Amino acid sequence: NRFIAKAKVDVPINGEEISTDLKIDYLGGMFDRNYFTNDELNYGNFQIGISPTYEMKQDDLTLNLGVTAVYSNDRESGDSNFYIYPNITATYRLVNDVLIAYGGIEGGLIQNSYYDFASENPFVSPTLFIVPTDQQYNAYVGLKGKLSSNMSYNVSGSYIADRNKALFRNNEITLSGENYSYGNSFGIVYDNLDTFGVAGEINVDVNRNFKLGIKAEYFSYSSDNEVEAWNLPDVKGSLFLDYQIDEHWFAGANLFYIGERKDQFFLNDGVTITSPFTVVLDSFFDANAHVGYHINDQISVFAKANNIANNAYQRWQNYPVQSIQFLAGATYKFDF
């Protein structure tokens, strides 16, 4: 069960307005068993947060000064904690829209949930112990702006300090008899993780008929207890384009690259017990494209090709994706 309520109010103080965000976040759930025993597994967390922010503008400088305070209660253990996070951002126009410097330091208590985990990795086992992630701070700086009237850019660097960061790791093989106990499911391990990242992107928008975007990211991780930052890539890249060729024809493509990730494998079937060892999942490149034709305002036909490189790569250990795929169809828009 998940319940979220949000509100925003502007509080006037001495002629100035303090923008204040309020949030209530309740999570509760249970699993019939944990991964190794038949003991029922219950979890739950209740959070109340408040984030007042004061915006100051002076010439080309915009500065937001704020703080986030969160009260958290673990429903199962009864433990309560109070967290304070920075909430400071700034932008400064160095050269009009051509060169804008920005930066900030923010943080927050991230409410993890089984729904979010299963949305990211559909192969998680129904045996997860779920707790929130304490993101102590996310500090970042960057430059953005326009190289021309139809081309923009953004380069940035960041350093993130997470406590109880949730990492997907392949479950060990056991003889429990459960359908997810054969190395075909993933569990969650929590660790304190520091992440350094740099990113750059360019976006092109020509007469709103042709759009192109290119983005590249690099990450470096440092963990306290785990040997690796499981299943987190060191490099990510993407390219997308949309082209409205004329009144009827349209086309597009998206390409993405994911660098190497590391996972773990170990066997414990009661007879053979292996020491856990690290498995390297190869980097992969995926390309997809589509083309279509608008017959009229309501009817269109299209064709798509996915995984054009025909590479049955593993996004998750032991799960190769489907190779090249083709899809054709038609759409009809109802006018009520």
Side-chain angles (χ1 to χ4, degrees), residues 235-251:
V235 176
K236 294 171 66 176
S238 62
L239 180 149
F240 80 89
L241 63 90
D242 283 308
Y243 184 30
Q244 186 68 43
I245 302 172
D246 57 27
E247 182 181 355
H248 296 285
W249 286 99
F250 61 93

Side-chain angles (χ1 to χ4, degrees), residues 15-284:
E16 301 289 347
E17 283 193 348
I18 306 297
S19 178
T20 304
D21 292 314
L22 304 171
K23 182 179 180 180
I24 296 175
D25 193 337
Y26 166 84
L27 176 74
M30 58 85 65
F31 295 106
D32 290 339
R33 55 167 293 161
N34 61 45
Y35 191 76
F36 297 100
T37 71
N38 292 320
D39 297 333
E40 188 177 276
L41 184 60
N42 295 280
Y43 63 91
N45 187 267
F46 174 72
Q47 299 177 11
I48 299 178
I50 182 171
S51 303
T53 304
Y54 171 68
E55 183 181 76
M56 182 182 68
K57 290 185 177 181
Q58 185 175 0
D59 298 328
D60 294 322
L61 174 67
T62 300
L63 180 63
N64 292 291
L65 300 174
V67 66
T68 298
V70 181
Y71 167 80
S72 175
N73 176 260
D74 188 317
R75 294 176 51 253
E76 294 304 312
S77 67
D79 293 339
S80 298
N81 291 284
F82 188 73
Y83 301 86
I84 297 290
Y85 300 101
N87 186 14
I88 302 171
T89 62
T91 61
Y92 185 73
R93 295 180 178 273
L94 297 171
V95 184
N96 296 324
D97 290 335
V98 176
L99 186 61
I100 301 173
Y102 67 91
I105 178 168
E106 302 173 273
L109 190 63
I110 301 171
Q111 183 83 290
N112 295 313
S113 71
Y114 181 69
Y115 175 84
D116 292 334
F117 288 148
S119 297
E120 183 177 355
N121 182 349
F123 311 113
V124 290
S125 60
T127 60
L128 306 181
F129 181 64
I130 298 176
V131 298
T133 295
D134 174 18
Q135 189 169 98
Q136 294 184 331
Y137 59 86
N138 175 4
Y140 57 90
V141 293
L143 292 172
K144 62 181 180 179
K146 290 186 175 182
L147 298 174
S148 65
S149 61
N150 52 27
M151 181 180 294
S152 62
Y153 69 93
N154 189 354
V155 292
S156 62
S158 64
Y159 189 85
I160 303 173
D162 287 318
R163 300 299 172 260
N164 280 336
K165 170 72 173 179
L167 302 171
F168 296 106
R169 191 179 69 184
N170 196 237
N171 283 322
E172 66 181 89
I173 300 173
T174 68
L175 291 182
S176 66
E178 299 293 340
N179 292 333
Y180 49 79
S181 64
Y182 301 96
N184 58 338
S185 70
F186 294 79
I188 294 292
V189 291
Y190 296 93
D191 198 4
N192 298 334
L193 187 71
D194 294 334
T195 305
F196 169 76
V198 292
E201 63 179 303
I202 293 178
N203 292 285
V204 180
D205 189 349
V206 181
N207 298 327
R208 298 184 178 180
N209 290 328
F210 179 83
K211 294 182 179 180
L212 170 69
I214 302 173
K215 185 175 183 179
E217 299 173 276
Y218 168 78
F219 303 97
S220 177
Y221 308 100
S222 175
S223 55
D224 280 358
N225 300 313
E226 297 298 319
V227 179
E228 301 288 348
W230 306 116
N231 280 293
L232 294 180
D234 53 356
V235 176
K236 294 171 66 176
S238 62
L239 180 149
F240 80 89
L241 63 90
D242 283 308
Y243 184 30
Q244 186 68 43
I245 302 172
D246 57 27
E247 182 181 355
H248 296 285
W249 286 99
F250 61 93
N254 62 79
L255 303 84
F256 59 90
Y257 173 85
I258 301 294
E260 289 185 346
R261 290 133 293 124
K262 296 180 180 179
D263 204 336
Q264 201 171 69
F265 177 87
F266 50 111
L267 171 66
N268 183 5
D269 60 6
V271 178
T272 304
I273 301 177
T274 64
S275 298
F277 63 89
T278 299
V279 175
V280 177
L281 301 178
D282 292 336
S283 58
F284 62 86

